[in-house]
Amino acid sequence: MSDDIIYSAIIDEHYEEPRNFGKIEDPDEDIMETNPTCGDTIAMYLRLGDGKIREIKYVARGCLISVASASILSERVSGKDVSEVLKMSKNDILSYLGLDLGPAREKCALLSYDALIKMLRKYEKEAKK
Ligand code: FES
């Protein structure tokens, strides 16, 4: 069995049972992000405190890669320091998926990352005021 098949099984599993799927009532930050190439969307919600991501949830309407990457990302960042998460690069996210993706599929994979980083930058900006 090749590594790609193993990774695909992990991605399939996250798509079938996405972790942290849902909505946070009265979140500290929320955002709706759209993939301009297909129109698919993700709504993401954060509970933040003491510089940490206390809770992350999302409702995604998109393809397998976008839902699975949101699920994997949510597991990776839950409970982490905001400053630490802001240091994560797009390549870090793509490496968590473990697949070589073309530019169109990269947009799917990075939809949740883009949403998260926008919210965290806004949070940090407001915290510095
Ligand atoms: Fe729309 Fe992947 S095809 S997010």
Side-chain angles (χ1 to χ4, degrees), residues 36-69:
T37 59
C38 64
D40 288 344
T41 58
I42 184 166
M44 190 175 273
Y45 310 89
L46 294 178
R47 179 94 53 226
L48 298 153
D50 298 328
K52 289 184 186 298
I53 297 176
R54 298 290 180 198
E55 190 178 13
I56 177 169
K57 287 195 176 278
Y58 56 89
V59 176
R61 191 185 59 78
C63 64
L64 181 147
I65 296 282
S66 68
V67 174
S69 67

Side-chain angles (χ1 to χ4, degrees), residues 19-127:
R19 319 309 194 262
N20 301 303
F21 196 91
K23 201 173 168 184
I24 295 174
E25 292 305 323
D26 197 20
D28 294 306
E29 296 288 343
D30 65 323
I31 195 168
M32 173 77 82
E33 191 75 8
T34 302
N35 181 343
T37 59
C38 64
D40 288 344
T41 58
I42 184 166
M44 190 175 273
Y45 310 89
L46 294 178
R47 179 94 53 226
L48 298 153
D50 298 328
K52 289 184 186 298
I53 297 176
R54 298 290 180 198
E55 190 178 13
I56 177 169
K57 287 195 176 278
Y58 56 89
V59 176
R61 191 185 59 78
C63 64
L64 181 147
I65 296 282
S66 68
V67 174
S69 67
S71 175
I72 291 167
L73 178 70
S74 73
E75 282 195 323
R76 291 268 176 174
V77 303
S78 193
K80 289 240 165 78
D81 286 343
V82 169
S83 57
E84 193 183 335
V85 175
L86 280 169
K87 286 182 198 148
M88 285 168 57
S89 69
K90 292 184 178 196
N91 283 338
D92 290 334
I93 307 305
L94 295 172
S95 74
Y96 296 153
L97 292 176
L99 293 173
D100 249 345
L101 301 169
R105 300 307 273 168
E106 271 192 20
K107 278 195 170 62
C108 303
L110 294 171
L111 187 62
S112 52
Y113 168 83
D114 289 341
L116 176 63
I117 294 300
K118 280 181 188 170
M119 283 192 290
L120 294 181
R121 286 199 181 126
K122 183 170 167 257
Y123 171 74
E124 281 227 316
K125 203 171 161 187
E126 285 168 359

